[in-house]
Amino acid sequence: MKTRKLLSVVALAATVALTVCACGTVKLKKNTKTHIIETVVPKRPAGQKDVLGLRLAPMPVVRVGFIGLGMRGPGAVERFTHLDGVQIKALCDLHPERVAKSQKYLEKAGLPAATEYSGSEDAWKKLCDRDDIDLVYIATGWQHHAEMMIYAMNKGKHVACEVPAVMTLKEAWDVVNTAERTQRHCMMLENCVYDFFELTTLNMAQHGLFGEVLSAKGGYVHNLEPFWKYYDANWRLEANIGFRGDIYATHGLGPACWVLNIHRGDRMDYLISMDVPATTLPRFMREEMKIENPQVKNGEMTQTLIKTVKGKTIYLEHNVTSYQPYNRYYQVIGSDGFANKYPKQGYCLRPTEESKSAVPNHEDLKSHDYVSDATRDALMKKYQHPIHAEIAEKAKKVGGHGGMDFIMDYRLIYCLHHGLPLDMDVYDLAEWSSIGELTEISLNHHSAPVAVPDFTRGAWNRLKGLQLYYAK
Ligand SMILES: NC(=O)c1ccc[n+]([C@@H]2O[C@H](COP(=O)([O-])OP(=O)(O)OC[C@H]3O[C@@H](n4cnc5c(N)ncnc54)[C@H](O)[C@@H]3O)[C@@H](O)[C@H]2O)c1
């Protein structure tokens, strides 16, 4: 894991210098009026255009190369064997036996063998150098993502990269600039936006069922204790040892940003973050790994509040160490209703004249309860998202977290086939991933508010609402 460089801090006219924190890669300044810590937004290089709503020539066949075939990557290869209009051209991993294992999926599906790349740290570059690949699909550890995405785009490839796609603000800006300069698609493989409850709820929100959506909640609560030792070269444990903050924000943040139209009419303005001391992970390292004095920067739990420029809020939580049930928290609060995914999937709606009880009763704590399960199911059926109507059945058969992974892959390829803007663009990638370093800055400055950079550099209000495109 690369160590982030020490911050250099600047004091500008209306700003004050900050205590240096050993976390970031960007310059910080504090706005003395708002007390918000701001990171520098680099100027867009002359002649470079944004890639909002990027439409390119339709691609009847998408030729794909995969990099990273550990725990996550092979599932993607297998899912791609179920997609039409796709050719799997190349497979790459450091370990040749992992490449050989994924090759078996192609054999099983009766597909031609892919070229294998392995054995050296940069064998993946040869995959990107090929002329017969359109899309590079990256599922390595986090520390390799930015370099691989940038190299692939510079070689003219579109890129899809696992979460979080970048670790630092510098990486985020470098990836945004490369996508804009090369005019390539660069999508983060955030699968949770396609999950059944989330996408249905998004459709309800877009049909006005919750009135004005005011706030959303998301999180990643997943005890990774059984997994720590399986990550290649311990990269995930190293990340938790080395970085403070919400370093795995995208599963919770993606669906929240979609329902709040982030950079499609609203944008994240600033955040504040708090954490509690790391406890369970150091104990695990002492007891299970026999490490005498483990130092873990990542808090046991990190809680973050984000404010948007339109006054909305997002609550985020990250906890990969405590003994708790799996939870992504997804919740939507609007003027006319509420949606909740964990632990109970349900909706609560503004009462109608008939459903209002005549005399309020303080003892009746259920007077604003969820709608019945039957009503919920009927609502979910009525508001099934068109993407689910089209592909849910097949997705459930192919699988990948219950089907959402296949829906994500399907949509990526569908949009490339039809020359449509992808569902998630490079600005989503940068916004959702940069929460890692932004929360670290807040935590290292006594939970001070930190500005979320506008990665669109002024174009966040041009698209009016989130749109998932279909061919006419
Ligand atoms: N979206 C999801 O639900 C989900 C679930 C699990 C993991 N992930 C993400 O998927 C990614 C991979 O996670 P994982 O659990 O598979 O990790 P892993 O450690 O099991 O796999 C990473 C693979 O990358 C390979 N690799 C590393 N350096 C390489 C290089 N230079 N060239 C080629 N291959 C290289 C490793 O050999 C390894 O096989 C991470 O970003 C993770 O966060 C996402």
Side-chain angles (χ1 to χ4, degrees):
M1 174 67 57
K2 266 187 249 163
T3 314
R4 288 175 181 158
K5 285 183 203 138
L6 205 69
L7 281 176
S8 66
V9 177
V10 287
L12 300 178
T15 64
V16 290
L18 297 168
T19 335
V20 174
C21 73
C23 59
T25 53
V26 288
K27 291 177 177 174
L28 302 183
K29 56 185 195 273
K30 187 166 174 181
N31 187 313
T32 46
K33 276 194 200 143
T34 60
H35 301 288
I36 293 176
I37 297 175
E38 293 168 1
T39 59
V40 172
V41 173
K43 260 184 109 168
R44 178 175 281 127
Q48 189 172 296
K49 284 194 311 204
D50 71 60
V51 284
L52 279 167
L54 182 68
R55 283 173 191 266
L56 297 172
M59 248 182 250
V61 175
V62 181
R63 300 163 300 174
V64 192
F66 290 87
I67 310 174
L69 301 166
M71 285 186 276
R72 180 74 173 149
V77 176
E78 207 271 332
R79 295 193 302 273
F80 267 65
T81 65
H82 296 273
L83 287 169
D84 296 329
V86 159
Q87 288 175 5
I88 301 172
K89 289 283 186 186
L91 300 171
C92 173
D93 194 280
L94 271 180
H95 307 282
E97 69 281 5
R98 296 188 182 179
V99 179
K101 211 170 147 196
S102 284
Q103 189 77 269
K104 292 244 173 338
Y105 290 119
L106 275 60
E107 203 182 303
K108 192 171 155 219
L111 296 170
T115 310
E116 300 186 5
Y117 297 90
S118 65
S120 79
E121 277 284 344
D122 57 5
W124 59 271
K125 288 187 178 165
K126 294 199 193 101
L127 179 152
C128 298
D129 291 343
R130 289 170 62 132
D131 291 333
D132 62 348
I133 286 181
D134 306 301
L135 172 69
V136 175
Y137 195 107
I138 302 165
T140 60
W142 307 340
Q143 70 277 35
H144 304 291
H145 289 174
E147 186 192 4
M148 289 176 173
M149 287 189 285
I150 290 168
Y151 188 91
M153 283 189 277
N154 279 330
K155 292 288 170 177
K157 314 297 187 250
H158 302 297
V159 169
C161 182
E162 263 301 344
V163 297
V166 294
M167 296 289 292
T168 65
L169 288 159
K170 180 180 182 319
E171 285 182 353
W173 282 115
D174 288 348
V175 169
V176 166
N177 273 332
T178 311
E180 290 185 347
R181 186 170 39 76
T182 58
Q183 294 286 299
R184 296 292 83 189
H185 287 297
C186 183
M187 181 181 114
M188 184 163 66
L189 292 159
E190 181 39 73
N191 44 353
C192 298
V193 292
Y194 297 103
D195 210 353
F196 295 94
F197 188 82
E198 283 86 333
L199 203 55
T200 311
T201 301
L202 175 76
N203 200 28
M204 289 179 183
Q206 292 186 332
H207 281 87
L209 227 73
F210 309 117
E212 186 183 2
V213 176
L214 300 166
S215 185
K217 192 170 175 179
Y220 190 69
V221 176
H222 187 191
N223 184 339
L224 296 181
E225 200 168 288
F227 298 95
W228 291 127
K229 61 180 183 216
Y230 292 106
Y231 296 105
D232 197 71
N234 263 342
W235 65 265
R236 191 137 187 192
L237 188 62
E238 292 293 327
N240 281 269
I241 292 169
F243 296 101
R244 212 174 165 191
D246 190 337
I247 53 176
Y248 203 64
T250 73
H251 290 329
L253 188 55
C257 285
W258 268 20
V259 82
L260 284 165
N261 295 312
I262 297 301
H263 84 250
R264 295 147 176 109
D266 198 355
R267 73 173 177 84
M268 291 188 274
D269 189 1
Y270 64 90
L271 59 77
I272 56 163
S273 202
M274 294 188 194
D275 62 0
V276 295
T279 308
T280 317
L281 186 54
R283 185 179 63 199
F284 173 81
M285 290 165 70
R286 266 193 315 274
E287 292 178 0
E288 306 285 328
M289 302 172 80
K290 309 300 172 207
I291 297 170
E292 235 172 65
N293 185 21
Q295 302 294 320
V296 175
K297 278 197 183 162
N298 207 261
E300 180 92 4
M301 170 168 71
T302 305
Q303 294 161 299
T304 300
L305 263 178
I306 304 170
K307 186 85 170 162
T308 76
V309 292
K310 297 231 164 135
K312 318 282 177 78
T313 58
I314 300 171
Y315 171 85
L316 269 184
E317 197 169 308
H318 174 259
N319 186 336
V320 292
T321 53
S322 303
Y323 299 102
Q324 287 187 58
Y326 179 92
N327 195 336
R328 293 202 309 270
Y329 280 122
Y330 183 62
Q331 207 173 77
V332 176
I333 297 121
S335 56
D336 290 352
F338 162 88
N340 184 73
K341 173 151 174 165
Y342 295 93
K344 178 185 166 67
Q345 288 195 4
Y347 300 104
C348 179
L349 299 173
R350 185 180 178 192
T352 57
E353 277 314 311
E354 309 83 71
S355 66
K356 277 182 194 160
S357 49
V359 184
N361 175 0
H362 285 297
E363 297 303 313
D364 179 12
L365 297 181
K366 284 193 163 275
S367 63
H368 296 295
D369 207 351
Y370 288 98
V371 298
S372 69
D373 288 357
T375 305
R376 174 200 62 202
D377 294 347
L379 279 170
M380 289 189 72
K381 196 169 168 201
K382 179 172 173 194
Y383 289 99
Q384 184 187 40
H385 196 280
I387 291 177
H388 286 160
E390 190 180 323
I391 200 68
E393 218 170 293
K394 181 168 178 183
K396 283 178 184 163
K397 280 193 200 128
V398 176
H401 289 108
M404 66 181 175
D405 297 354
F406 182 71
I407 299 172
M408 168 184 74
D409 297 330
Y410 169 83
R411 280 294 297 174
L412 166 63
I413 296 302
Y414 177 93
C415 293
L416 290 174
H417 278 165
H418 293 93
L420 296 168
L422 304 190
D423 295 342
M424 288 172 276
D425 60 24
V426 73
Y427 307 111
D428 292 308
L429 175 157
E431 286 158 4
W432 303 351
S433 305
S434 67
I435 293 303
E437 187 169 357
L438 294 168
T439 51
E440 188 172 43
I441 295 169
S442 178
L443 290 167
N444 285 341
H445 291 88
H446 235 78
S447 302
V450 177
V452 180
D454 174 13
F455 287 99
T456 69
R457 288 178 278 211
W460 59 272
N461 207 12
R462 191 163 82 221
L463 304 177
K464 302 297 179 200
L466 174 86
Q467 203 178 337
L468 307 179
Y469 293 87
Y470 294 92
K472 295 245 159 58

